[in-house]
Amino acid sequence: MAELTAKAEDLVKNVQAMLNEEKWTRATLSAYSSTQFKELDEILDEARAEKASDEIKNIADEHLAHTKNSIVALYLSGMIAISRQLVDDSALINLIGIFTDNHKWSLVRFLCDRMLDYGESKFALRTLIDVLRNENDEDSIWAIEERLVKADYEEADIAKALAEHKETEGKLEEAIDYYKKATHRYLNKNVFTNVREIWAKLLELDGDDIDFFMHIQAKAAKNIDKTKAIQLLQDLYEHCKAQGHYETAVNVLKMILDYDDKDAHARRDIADCYREIYKKHSQLEEYLRSSNLATNYRNVHECIADFEKHIAFDRGNFVYHRTWGVGRIKEIVGDDIIIDFARQRGHKMSLKMAVSSLQTLSKNHIWVLKATQKKEILHDKVKSDPVWALKTVIKSFGNSCDIKKIKSELCPSVLTVGEWTSWFEKAKNAIKTDPQLGVNPDNVELLTVRDRPVSYEEKLYNEFKAEKDFFKRLATMREFCNRKDFEPDSDYFTEMFDYFASFLKNAATNKVSEQILSAYFMVKDLAGRYPALQPALTVNFPQLLDSIKNIPAMYLALKESKLKEDFLASIKLFTPSWQDIYIQLYPKSLSQTIINNLLKDGSDKSLANLVKDCFDRYRDRGEAVAHLYKNYRNEPWFKAAGLTEEKQLITLIHILAQTFNNIDNHKETSENKKLNKNVDDMLFKEGFIYRIIDHAEIDEVNRVYTFINDVRDIDPAIKLEMRTRILRRFPDFKFYGAEEESHVATRGLLVTAKKYDEKQKQMAHIMNVEVPANSKEIEFARELGDLRENAEYKAAKEKQELLNSQVAKLKDEIERAQLFDPSTISTVRVGFGTIVRLKNSASGKEETYTILGPWESDPDNKVISYLSPFGAAMQGKKLGEAFELVMGEDKTGYEVVGIEAAGGKYF
């Protein structure tokens, strides 16, 4: 009570007094009206505002322990529970039962409506139906029953009654929907008589929805037995035959024979269907005879396969030979078949040989189209109609095809490599939106074409079934549930929901995995939106959290940002010491939500300690140091950690050095590269390091520069920039360890910053542009087939070797490069960066040369390398000194008559 406001304390006392004064008699009950409950609602509103709901519920529950029929206590306890989406609604159920027994129907209706204010309740809806029946309001019952069917996923009788009602009203689409719901629900209860009755009705109303019927019969085979599925399929077969849909009828009969390959009626009927489908085929009866389909001694599936393979061979049909390509059957004479191939006209072979060596093709097969149509016509059709192209290629290969196969068929034979990229973007959209395109239910990588348009709901369900990865299934489930027309009563949803709910069974006693925790958040979210799903929540968050040994590792294992946010929110909601867990999580999560919640809680001191701890333990908390410094260094709580700016920057430099070492040692390379770039950008690109140089005292500048200079992998151009800035402020600054003489490079290769930048850009272009382009060329060439005879592949591999050689050479040169500091140019001696005037002793003429490095060397313009024989000969010479250049047997004498610094155009 100490934490309650004075107003809240008064409210609790008033409720306690009200409970003590309450007298329960039949007369009191008769005097009750909705007005008293509305007054109790005002108390509940005030309790929520004063944060006293827990106290109100506690005293109400205590009162009910010895006065179980207290109207006030039942209402207050029940309404607080239901407002929090708690599963236990027993208080309100008991209260409604009291008024029902006393026939107070207006209050029963009022209380049911209050329950329904917080979501659909099966109990409240059924009770409302009873109230309406007592009031003889039959017309209003239908609307309530519709709500009940949506809330109660097991209610089948009312779904059937609604279907019949909608049918009499002429609302056939709604009637069909309810008939299908009833079918699924009766099937779940194994009430086959009702299933078959509705099956017949649906064949009459929606007989073309073959996928639905196939789904139901498969479920009947699984839930009841195969003989029941056969009965349903026999009804479906008769319907298809009556409609003249013989190809569908054949598929239905094949399904019957899968369940019972001894079914003589199905065997006879499938032969009759083949006679209808292929009645114009010249060899029909011969192929039926030779397949033994009409006899019973051969396995029926072998007979069907044999017949279907032979029936594809008829005059005018297309075939494919692995050597001669696409051909067309010219005629069949006895047991011989004559085929016109493009390169082998009038080729004759036995039918037996043809069946074993040729592949039959439909006239719309992509190979046939490429062989028979003009390239430009097919190109324009494919390019302008991606949906048609996708369906054509997929159907060409058994109605199951992946993207790689589609590309190999269209590119480059129909589309160019450049056209493929833009075409495929349109194709991806078509795969998602076209109602006939979808994924194979057994393999998410394979695309298929459906015989009938499918809903977006069914497409997502098929993707869910085909996908094996838990988190990809979770993403598909979210997309399924976030549709505008989503209702949680479909058979598809039930199967998907049950998959996640199954993870929660015995979860409290098992080791909690990221899959279990993620399933909990998914089920909890859906149960909050649809209370009828709450029984699936068999575990609560505190139980799960108690079983998690490593909370930061669990956080990182959650693959979606929403799951991580749910995890953080649940920790805060259900854990008294959530602040400690948040501090523990931050170095791994780098979550702004954690910082914001700790600030709202007033945990500034904890945040300051977090900053200090991360900087002290930078070796294993580098990412946290970088994140804190980049985003929060100006916040009061960051400054309260008491870290000097020098300490902060030196820590970042240590992290930079550590990441360079880890990258060299191939230790968590990608993570270290990311952190390295982040710190490098802050220090140098964003200029944080230069604040010290431009404003700090010389001793602080010296310490920071020393740490930077010790990191050998930092770009030399950065070190040069730092030295230039330092000398600008402190002209007499001594760079300990720097070369006192700039005209000799003790190691590596002296280069100008300008040329160094050019080389880096050259290597970046090769790595980022030419190498990826070459990789695509190799991949494309590999898809063309036999690599031994593939000129495109050989050329691409040769180019790859050349690029690798160029990159290796550039890397070696860049690693050896030592950036020359133009501020160190001395005109006392000849050296790098000087312009030298020489007097040729033989001719008496003056010659002028600029001394730079091998990268800058340009003899035609009198720019020579300090490593060339001429450059080396004059290196270190003073004004007035003479020297000789010896080239083989030739000797030329020179005298240095002038030395000056080279101009800015070189630097």
Side-chain angles (χ1 to χ4, degrees):
M1 294 287 287
E3 296 181 3
L4 295 177
T5 64
K7 191 173 181 181
E9 288 183 13
D10 290 341
L11 179 65
V12 172
K13 289 177 182 177
N14 291 339
V15 170
Q16 185 70 66
M18 186 185 305
L19 291 170
N20 293 336
E21 293 168 6
E22 182 185 26
K23 297 192 185 327
W24 197 93
T25 64
R26 195 166 297 281
T28 305
L29 195 66
S30 299
Y32 252 90
S33 69
S34 59
T35 303
Q36 281 99 320
F37 288 116
K38 290 176 183 177
E39 290 171 356
L40 292 177
D41 283 335
E42 291 175 4
I43 292 174
L44 290 172
D45 291 339
E46 191 175 349
R48 275 191 291 272
E50 296 299 325
K51 298 182 179 178
S53 296
D54 286 342
E55 285 71 15
I56 298 295
K57 188 174 190 308
N58 288 338
I59 61 174
D61 290 342
E62 288 173 10
H63 190 74
L64 287 170
H66 53 78
T67 311
K68 65 179 182 178
N69 288 333
S70 168
I71 305 299
V72 173
L74 286 170
Y75 189 76
L76 292 176
S77 176
M79 289 306 298
I80 291 173
I82 202 169
S83 68
R84 293 177 175 176
Q85 299 290 312
L86 299 179
V87 175
D88 184 12
D89 54 2
S90 58
L92 286 176
I93 290 175
N94 290 339
L95 182 59
I96 291 172
I98 291 171
F99 287 107
T100 300
D101 292 343
N102 288 273
H103 306 291
K104 296 282 289 183
W105 301 117
S106 61
L107 283 177
V108 171
R109 178 185 283 220
F110 173 84
L111 292 169
C112 287
D113 287 338
R114 289 295 286 128
M115 284 187 77
L116 294 169
D117 285 340
Y118 291 92
E120 298 291 60
S121 160
K122 292 184 282 187
F123 170 81
L125 291 169
R126 289 186 186 280
T127 305
L128 266 182
I129 291 171
D130 292 339
V131 171
L132 292 170
R133 284 213 171 94
N134 274 292
E135 296 175 353
N136 295 316
D137 189 359
E138 293 294 330
D139 291 338
S140 299
I141 289 177
W142 292 114
I144 305 299
E145 287 187 335
E146 287 189 45
R147 291 170 64 185
L148 179 58
V149 166
K150 289 181 179 180
D152 186 349
Y153 310 139
E154 296 179 357
E155 177 53 64
D157 292 337
I158 292 178
K160 180 172 178 285
L162 282 167
E164 292 165 348
H165 176 67
K166 296 292 182 182
E167 187 180 1
T168 59
E169 289 184 328
K171 298 176 180 177
L172 292 185
E173 285 189 16
E174 293 181 56
I176 290 167
D177 186 48
Y178 280 116
Y179 275 128
K180 288 180 178 179
K181 279 183 173 63
T183 304
H184 281 295
R185 294 174 185 189
Y186 282 128
L187 199 50
N188 290 337
K189 296 179 178 182
N190 294 344
V191 185
F192 183 72
T193 303
N194 289 9
V195 170
R196 194 169 187 189
E197 177 190 345
I198 300 174
W199 178 276
K201 174 62 71 173
L202 284 170
L203 284 175
E204 175 190 334
L205 297 178
D206 193 29
D208 291 335
D209 192 356
I210 298 300
D211 285 345
F212 168 80
F213 294 112
M214 287 299 184
H215 183 68
I216 291 298
Q217 67 81 22
K219 198 170 177 181
K222 181 180 177 181
N223 288 13
I224 308 175
D225 62 56
K226 292 179 181 179
T227 60
K228 303 300 184 187
I230 290 173
Q231 290 179 41
L232 296 176
L233 288 170
Q234 286 170 341
D235 294 343
L236 179 58
Y237 162 69
E238 293 297 337
H239 171 80
C240 292
K241 186 176 73 169
Q243 298 293 316
H245 300 158
Y246 292 106
E247 291 185 358
T248 304
V250 165
N251 290 331
V252 172
L253 291 168
K254 285 180 180 179
M255 188 71 68
I256 292 173
L257 290 166
D258 282 339
Y259 290 136
D260 180 10
D261 60 5
K262 305 299 183 186
D263 191 313
H265 293 291
R267 188 168 186 143
R268 180 200 64 216
D269 290 341
I270 203 169
D272 291 340
C273 287
Y274 281 140
R275 285 189 174 91
E276 290 294 333
I277 295 170
Y278 300 108
K279 55 189 173 186
K280 295 182 180 179
H281 197 290
S282 60
Q283 305 294 312
L284 171 63
E285 291 303 327
E286 173 59 24
Y287 290 159
L288 280 173
R289 183 193 61 76
S290 63
S291 71
N292 296 307
L293 191 57
T295 62
N296 291 325
Y297 68 86
R298 189 182 181 191
N299 179 279
V300 68
H301 298 296
E302 293 178 4
C303 295
I304 290 171
D306 191 40
F307 172 79
E308 291 186 346
K309 194 167 187 179
H310 280 78
I311 201 68
F313 289 88
D314 195 21
R315 185 170 52 250
N317 287 358
F318 291 93
V319 293
Y320 175 80
H321 188 276
R322 62 182 179 179
T323 301
W324 300 319
V326 175
R328 191 169 191 178
I329 299 172
K330 185 177 181 181
E331 57 181 313
I332 299 176
V333 181
D335 290 333
D336 292 328
I337 186 169
I338 300 170
I339 308 165
D340 284 335
F341 294 100
R343 290 174 287 175
Q344 188 83 5
R345 295 280 177 178
H347 182 75
K348 183 178 180 181
M349 63 172 64
S350 68
L351 181 60
K352 184 177 180 180
M353 175 64 73
V355 169
S356 63
S357 63
L358 298 179
Q359 177 182 345
T360 57
L361 307 176
S362 72
K363 64 180 180 180
N364 294 317
H365 194 290
I366 188 63
W367 293 351
V368 173
L369 298 178
K370 287 196 282 189
T372 59
Q373 288 192 9
K374 290 184 178 181
K375 184 175 180 178
E376 56 269 22
I377 294 175
L378 184 58
H379 167 273
D380 292 347
K381 176 65 174 173
V382 168
K383 189 174 181 180
S384 63
D385 194 347
V387 172
W388 174 86
L390 285 168
K391 291 179 180 178
T392 298
V393 177
I394 293 168
K395 287 182 176 180
S396 296
F397 300 98
N399 202 22
S400 187
C401 191
D402 61 16
I403 295 299
K404 188 175 181 180
K405 179 64 176 175
I406 294 170
K407 182 178 181 181
S408 69
E409 289 301 326
L410 298 180
C411 183
S413 57
V414 180
L415 299 172
T416 66
V417 176
E419 288 173 325
W420 165 263
T421 304
S422 58
W423 181 89
F424 184 56
E425 287 302 314
K426 297 177 184 176
K428 282 194 293 187
N429 186 58
I431 293 168
K432 193 173 184 68
T433 58
D434 187 271
Q436 284 187 282
L437 288 171
V439 298
N440 186 306
D442 298 319
N443 186 342
V444 75
E445 300 297 325
L446 299 177
L447 298 173
T448 187
V449 180
R450 308 298 294 268
D451 292 332
R452 67 168 184 86
V454 297
S455 64
Y456 185 48
E457 176 188 52
E458 190 174 345
K459 284 170 77 79
L460 290 173
Y461 168 75
N462 288 333
E463 287 179 22
F464 181 90
K465 285 190 66 179
E467 185 57 71
K468 306 305 177 189
D469 179 80
F470 174 89
F471 287 100
K472 289 182 179 176
R473 281 190 161 192
L474 191 75
T476 303
M477 180 68 161
R478 286 198 198 286
E479 191 173 352
F480 186 95
C481 297
N482 289 337
R483 295 175 295 112
K484 289 182 179 179
D485 59 344
F486 168 67
E487 290 290 346
D489 61 344
S490 74
D491 215 40
Y492 299 134
F493 171 78
T494 300
E495 185 174 336
M496 295 163 73
F497 181 80
D498 287 347
Y499 168 78
F500 294 106
S502 68
F503 281 86
L504 304 187
K505 294 176 182 177
N506 303 318
T509 57
N510 294 334
K511 181 181 177 182
V512 175
S513 65
E514 60 268 29
Q515 287 84 4
I516 289 175
L517 189 61
S518 301
Y520 166 79
F521 289 131
M522 170 59 76
V523 172
K524 181 176 179 293
D525 177 55
L526 288 167
R529 290 158 58 185
Y530 306 99
L533 300 174
Q534 287 185 352
L537 272 177
T538 54
V539 65
N540 60 43
F541 182 78
Q543 290 173 315
L544 295 176
L545 192 65
D546 285 345
S547 301
I548 298 172
K549 304 303 181 187
N550 188 331
I551 293 176
M554 176 61 74
Y555 178 91
L556 294 176
L558 299 174
K559 299 293 178 65
E560 291 183 1
S561 59
K562 186 181 186 312
L563 292 172
K564 292 178 178 179
E565 290 298 320
D566 287 342
F567 191 37
L568 293 177
S570 297
I571 288 171
K572 184 173 183 291
L573 182 62
F574 295 107
T575 311
S577 58
W578 62 269
Q579 299 91 336
D580 296 336
I581 298 177
Y582 270 29
I583 292 291
Q584 179 190 355
L585 270 172
Y586 176 79
K588 294 294 184 184
S589 68
L590 308 182
S591 168
Q592 187 174 343
T593 299
I594 286 178
I595 301 293
N596 291 343
N597 282 329
L598 287 170
L599 286 173
K600 288 178 183 176
D601 184 60
S603 301
D604 296 53
K605 187 175 180 180
S606 296
L607 284 169
N609 291 334
L610 171 67
V611 172
K612 189 174 185 308
D613 184 60
C614 288
F615 272 80
D616 288 344
R617 299 169 59 185
Y618 70 86
R619 285 183 175 84
D620 56 359
R621 294 192 169 183
E623 292 89 348
V625 170
H627 191 261
L628 285 167
Y629 183 82
K630 182 172 184 177
N631 296 287
Y632 304 110
R633 65 184 179 279
N634 294 320
E635 297 294 330
W637 52 268
F638 185 98
K639 294 177 180 179
L643 302 174
T644 65
E645 189 170 20
E646 179 184 353
K647 163 76 172 173
Q648 295 168 33
L649 291 175
I650 288 176
T651 301
L652 290 172
I653 295 166
H654 284 319
I655 293 171
L656 202 63
Q658 177 179 288
T659 55
F660 276 127
N661 288 334
N662 289 340
I663 292 167
D664 288 344
N665 294 325
H666 305 289
K667 181 181 177 182
E668 297 178 344
T669 305
S670 60
E671 293 86 350
N672 277 285
K673 281 185 175 179
K674 183 178 178 181
L675 177 57
N676 181 281
K677 184 179 185 307
N678 191 9
V679 174
D680 186 278
D681 286 349
M682 283 194 291
L683 288 175
F684 306 120
K685 285 190 179 178
E686 296 177 41
F688 296 154
I689 198 74
Y690 300 130
R691 287 206 308 264
I692 289 276
I693 294 172
D694 294 343
H695 302 290
E697 296 298 323
I698 190 168
D699 289 343
E700 192 175 341
V701 170
N702 188 30
R703 285 192 295 272
V704 171
Y705 176 77
T706 301
F707 280 109
I708 288 286
N709 198 47
D710 285 344
V711 184
R712 62 179 179 83
D713 292 302
I714 290 178
D715 189 339
I718 289 172
K719 293 181 179 180
L720 177 59
E721 169 67 16
M722 290 186 66
R723 291 176 66 177
T724 303
R725 282 176 176 260
I726 292 170
L727 288 172
R728 192 180 299 137
R729 283 195 69 206
F730 308 107
D732 298 327
F733 191 94
K734 277 288 186 182
F735 297 100
Y736 295 103
E739 299 290 345
E740 290 190 11
E741 294 284 352
S742 65
H743 61 275
V744 176
T746 57
R747 63 186 178 86
L749 187 72
L750 281 179
V751 299
T752 62
K754 187 175 180 181
K755 273 294 179 183
Y756 183 82
D757 188 49
E758 286 182 15
K759 290 284 186 179
Q760 282 194 315
K761 288 179 179 177
Q762 183 183 352
M763 188 168 76
H765 179 77
I766 295 174
M767 294 294 292
N768 300 330
V769 179
E770 296 188 45
V771 168
N774 175 248
S775 297
K776 289 181 180 179
E777 290 173 358
I778 292 173
E779 180 62 27
F780 171 71
R782 186 180 281 115
E783 292 175 359
L784 295 178
D786 189 353
L787 301 184
R788 294 170 299 177
E789 303 296 330
N790 192 326
E792 290 89 347
Y793 180 77
K794 290 180 180 178
K797 289 295 287 184
E798 288 172 3
K799 185 174 180 181
Q800 184 186 55
E801 292 175 9
L802 176 62
L803 291 172
N804 288 341
S805 174
Q806 289 177 338
V807 168
K809 182 180 178 183
L810 280 168
K811 278 185 177 179
D812 180 62
E813 289 181 346
I814 290 171
E815 285 175 3
R816 290 174 53 227
Q818 299 293 305
L819 272 177
F820 178 75
D821 183 354
S823 67
T824 64
I825 294 175
S826 171
T827 57
V828 175
R829 296 173 182 270
V830 176
F832 193 102
T834 58
I835 297 175
V836 186
R837 284 187 294 112
L838 303 175
K839 184 177 180 181
N840 189 313
S841 58
S843 66
K845 294 181 179 179
E846 282 193 7
E847 301 173 12
T848 302
Y849 298 95
T850 301
I851 311 300
L852 294 172
W855 288 1
E856 297 84 7
S857 178
D858 183 6
D860 291 341
N861 290 306
K862 304 295 185 180
V863 179
I864 62 174
S865 168
Y866 72 93
L867 294 177
S868 68
F870 193 15
M874 71 177 83
Q875 194 76 256
K877 299 296 184 288
K878 296 182 180 179
L879 191 65
E881 259 191 86
F883 66 93
E884 284 187 338
L885 175 62
V886 179
M887 299 289 289
E889 297 180 358
D890 297 331
K891 292 182 181 181
T892 306
Y894 290 95
E895 179 187 350
V896 179
V897 295
I899 304 173
E900 60 183 277
K905 75 173 186 176
Y906 297 109
F907 301 101

